[in-house]
Amino acid sequence: MSGRHTILHKQPHTIANAAAFGTGLAAISAGTLLPVAVHLATLLVYGPLLLHRRHTSWHAFALGLSLALSKTIDWAVPAWHALSNPASSIAILLLASTVTSGITVGVLLLHTWVRSRIASGWSQVVLFPALWAYAWYFVSLISPIGRLSSWAPVVDPMGYEWLIPFTGPTLYDWVAAAWAVVISEVAGLWLMGPTQAEEDEETPLLSDSVKNAQSQSHRGIGAVPQLALMLLAMTVPSFVLRDARLPLESPDTTALRDYLRESSQFWNIADVLLWPEGAVTFESEAARNAAFSNVIELLKNNSKAIMGVSYSDTSSDPSDPTGKKLLHRNGLALISRSSTEPHLMYYKRNLVPIAESYGMIHSSEPPEVFTYDLQISKKEQRPIPITTSICLDFAMPNTFAQLHTKPALILAPAKTWDRSVAQVMWEEAKQRALELDSTVLWCDGGTSGLSGVAGKGQDSEPMQIGEGSWTRGIGVEFPFNERRTVYGAGGNAIAASLFFGLIAVGMAFNGVNTLDWGTINLRLLWDKMRGRGADTRAPLIDFEE
């Protein structure tokens, strides 16, 4: 008996769940394009078996449980140290994994159902990438942890980085899902097409009636080569459009150097100084303001640098007439010797669930851009647009959506508690910088934190692991082009138009009646999902009782 017969008839659900679990572990831990694409391809191959067999709801639940366990196991170590009570951490992780795995299974079933009603082969193959990318985009908008809630986020684009300023982070999910379609269609050909020897030896895997019934949903195989060629062609500019690092000193650049903690060691070295998230704590607004005044005086006497002071403060709640209710916030202030007040004050908008959300309040004010006049010489200054956000803010896809100009530098203090969390947040910070065509100074004060400079023309590897001071010289173009990127100005509207437009193109070339809406019977579909009825149409794959 062939392996294909075993997969399709003998143990389809057991094999599919085991494969989904194993590839899920690899995809979530790696976060690179190939493992994620293979994992999604496994789900796509299983989709028709799941939807067009009996007991769909039960098998969908089993698949969701397998996926939830894979994510829980992968994130168990970071979650164990997230809260003081490890059991609570694991329980919350399991709940969150169950929700995201449910969304994954829902997108899979929706895609399988809709695809069988689309006549255009091209629209069939680009349907799943669009659904997958935008399902997780909308989840990231409502989730308290943003893109960290994505099922299997891709952090290594492998040649697609140049498109990020145009499409934003949804491109990574779209590309991974598109390659998954290519892989799954090739795997599907192997599964659905037995050799002549196998047909002579045993019952064909698919009967003639089923082959006729599945022809509608498998027209996409003819469009797979075109999709694969398009995906490969999209990587070509990455070999040509490489951001060269600007030299530190030239008539067209401005030197910027980075700072972590020990400010006094860098008074005459760095132009920008940054402390890690929550470096100091102020018990009152008066204490905070007094400290800022002291820092300003030190800068006046010792340094021309601008300093990003990260802190936690306590203030009275203005809504409480008694003044007894206190608000704890996590903020950053930009301070220099040229002003007696901070140039910019920003408070963290997205708090880590449970760990921070119970003890602190979040801000609703978006980041702003402050243009700092960097003193090059006694007679020359160069404007440097600077903005900021704090740690988990960078996991949100629309963190900088309200900026009206492009920043040259993004100050990003952070403090993570685990190496894997530090790696994920470092990757998210890099993506936000690429989307804006800017540079981010990421300063992670965690014991295993990753710190460095990323974005335009910068290396992708961190400069520092864990605590410690470091410097790095970078260049910024002069005069600086403040025009926003396509994504920075238009947000996800551009990517949505592109991804769903690809579906529409296929429909347009197949006439108006591209969706078989006449066959839809919601009551029949509901009964089938509950196992109380059967679809009147032939299933894609014969099943044995």
Side-chain angles (χ1 to χ4, degrees):
M1 180 176 293
S2 71
R4 288 180 288 199
H5 192 275
T6 301
I7 294 173
L8 293 175
H9 291 280
K10 295 302 180 182
Q11 299 292 335
H13 302 292
T14 302
I15 294 173
N17 276 275
F21 177 81
T23 59
L25 282 176
I28 296 169
S29 60
T32 52
L33 181 59
L34 183 58
V36 173
V38 171
H39 174 58
L40 296 181
T42 302
L43 298 180
L44 287 174
V45 171
Y46 183 42
L49 289 166
L50 180 63
L51 185 62
H52 297 287
R53 295 259 178 125
R54 290 182 178 178
H55 310 298
T56 297
S57 57
W58 167 250
H59 293 304
F61 171 78
L63 176 62
L65 182 60
S66 298
L67 295 176
L69 288 175
S70 68
K71 190 156 193 174
T72 301
I73 292 173
D74 195 80
W75 279 92
V77 174
W80 189 267
H81 301 287
L83 301 176
S84 57
N85 186 345
S88 299
S89 299
I90 298 300
I92 293 171
L93 173 61
L94 181 59
L95 176 61
S97 300
T98 301
V99 172
T100 54
S101 66
I103 295 172
T104 299
V105 175
V107 173
L108 175 65
L109 292 174
L110 176 64
H111 159 261
T112 306
W113 183 69
V114 173
R115 173 177 169 144
S116 64
R117 289 161 173 79
I118 296 179
S120 165
W122 175 256
S123 297
Q124 285 186 9
V125 297
V126 294
L127 173 65
F128 179 70
L131 292 177
W132 182 258
Y134 271 86
W136 294 112
Y137 168 70
F138 288 120
V139 168
S140 70
L141 293 180
I142 61 176
S143 168
I145 57 174
R147 282 189 56 79
L148 300 187
S149 59
S150 297
W151 175 248
V154 177
V155 296
D156 183 2
M158 297 178 64
Y160 298 95
E161 276 188 356
W162 69 277
L163 284 166
I164 297 304
F166 300 92
T167 63
T170 53
L171 176 77
Y172 290 171
D173 293 328
W174 189 91
V175 168
W179 276 117
V181 171
V182 174
I183 297 171
S184 66
E185 290 291 342
V186 174
L189 281 179
W190 176 77
L191 282 173
M192 305 301 182
T195 63
Q196 185 62 42
E198 288 172 332
E199 290 180 341
D200 293 340
E201 292 176 0
E202 59 184 36
T203 304
L205 298 181
L206 298 174
S207 66
D208 291 338
S209 62
V210 176
K211 288 181 179 179
N212 293 332
Q214 75 172 44
S215 61
Q216 175 79 353
S217 63
H218 283 278
R219 293 180 183 177
I221 189 62
V224 168
Q226 292 94 315
L227 178 60
L229 286 174
M230 185 183 78
L231 290 169
L232 291 174
M234 288 167 60
T235 66
V236 172
S238 66
F239 298 102
V240 180
L241 303 176
R242 291 185 177 273
D243 278 332
R245 183 180 300 174
L246 293 174
L248 296 182
E249 303 293 343
S250 79
D252 299 322
T253 65
T254 300
L256 295 176
R257 296 175 175 86
D258 312 324
Y259 170 79
L260 205 154
R261 279 192 188 174
E262 297 146 334
S263 304
S264 60
Q265 300 182 31
F266 303 95
W267 291 137
N268 299 316
I269 299 175
D271 295 306
V272 177
L273 310 173
L274 180 62
W275 296 356
E277 179 184 4
V280 292
T281 301
F282 303 121
E283 298 299 330
S284 65
E285 291 185 7
R288 181 197 65 195
N289 295 337
F292 288 169
S293 297
N294 291 334
V295 172
I296 292 171
E297 288 300 317
L298 287 173
L299 292 174
K300 284 182 179 179
N301 298 327
N302 298 283
S303 177
K304 64 178 181 179
I306 186 169
M307 181 182 292
V309 178
S310 301
Y311 61 92
S312 298
D313 71 359
T314 302
S315 60
S316 299
D317 187 348
S319 63
D320 181 15
T322 65
K324 295 181 179 180
K325 185 178 180 181
L326 300 178
L327 303 178
H328 303 279
R329 301 175 296 180
N330 200 334
L332 180 140
L334 275 182
I335 298 173
S336 78
R337 66 183 183 180
S338 61
S339 174
T340 58
E341 299 290 335
H343 300 293
L344 180 152
M345 293 181 68
Y346 172 82
Y347 286 96
K348 192 174 183 179
R349 293 194 293 168
N350 298 278
L351 305 176
V352 178
I354 311 300
E356 291 181 336
S357 58
Y358 284 157
M360 307 183 76
I361 64 166
H362 67 87
S363 172
S364 59
E365 295 296 323
E368 300 176 350
V369 172
F370 168 71
T371 300
Y372 175 62
D373 292 322
L374 181 65
Q375 194 74 40
I376 302 300
S377 65
K378 291 183 178 181
K379 296 183 179 181
E380 183 181 5
Q381 291 182 335
R382 293 182 180 179
I384 306 295
I386 299 175
T387 191
T388 185
S389 268
I390 301 174
C391 202
L392 191 59
D393 290 340
F394 284 85
M396 308 300 158
N398 57 350
T399 295
F400 301 103
Q402 294 176 278
L403 295 183
H404 299 293
T405 185
K406 182 175 73 175
L409 181 65
I410 306 170
L411 300 184
K415 189 172 184 180
T416 57
W417 67 91
D418 183 85
R419 177 62 181 274
S420 59
V421 177
Q423 182 67 49
V424 170
M425 290 307 306
W426 165 251
E427 298 294 340
E428 290 295 327
K430 289 197 299 184
Q431 288 195 28
R432 301 295 87 80
L434 289 172
E435 292 159 12
L436 300 182
D437 192 31
S438 183
T439 302
V440 62
L441 169 56
W442 182 259
C443 177
D444 188 341
T447 55
S448 300
L450 305 180
S451 300
V453 182
K456 187 175 182 180
Q458 305 301 318
D459 294 335
S460 60
E461 297 301 318
M463 284 282 297
Q464 175 87 10
I465 299 177
E467 301 174 350
S469 302
W470 55 275
T471 62
R472 181 168 181 175
I474 65 173
V476 175
E477 61 182 329
F478 179 79
F480 181 71
N481 179 12
E482 297 186 7
R483 186 169 60 182
R484 292 178 294 173
T485 62
V486 173
Y487 175 75
N492 276 278
I494 304 299
S497 301
L498 175 63
F499 299 157
F500 288 98
L502 290 173
I503 301 175
V505 167
M507 292 181 174
F509 281 97
N510 280 269
V512 177
N513 297 320
T514 55
L515 290 177
D516 186 15
W517 298 114
T519 65
I520 297 176
N521 186 318
L522 296 180
R523 177 65 183 179
L524 183 62
L525 181 65
W526 172 247
D527 286 343
K528 180 181 180 301
M529 291 289 288
R530 300 177 63 187
R532 298 193 316 188
D535 199 328
T536 56
R537 293 166 295 168
L540 292 185
I541 301 171
D542 284 346
F543 54 86
E544 297 178 357
E545 298 295 341

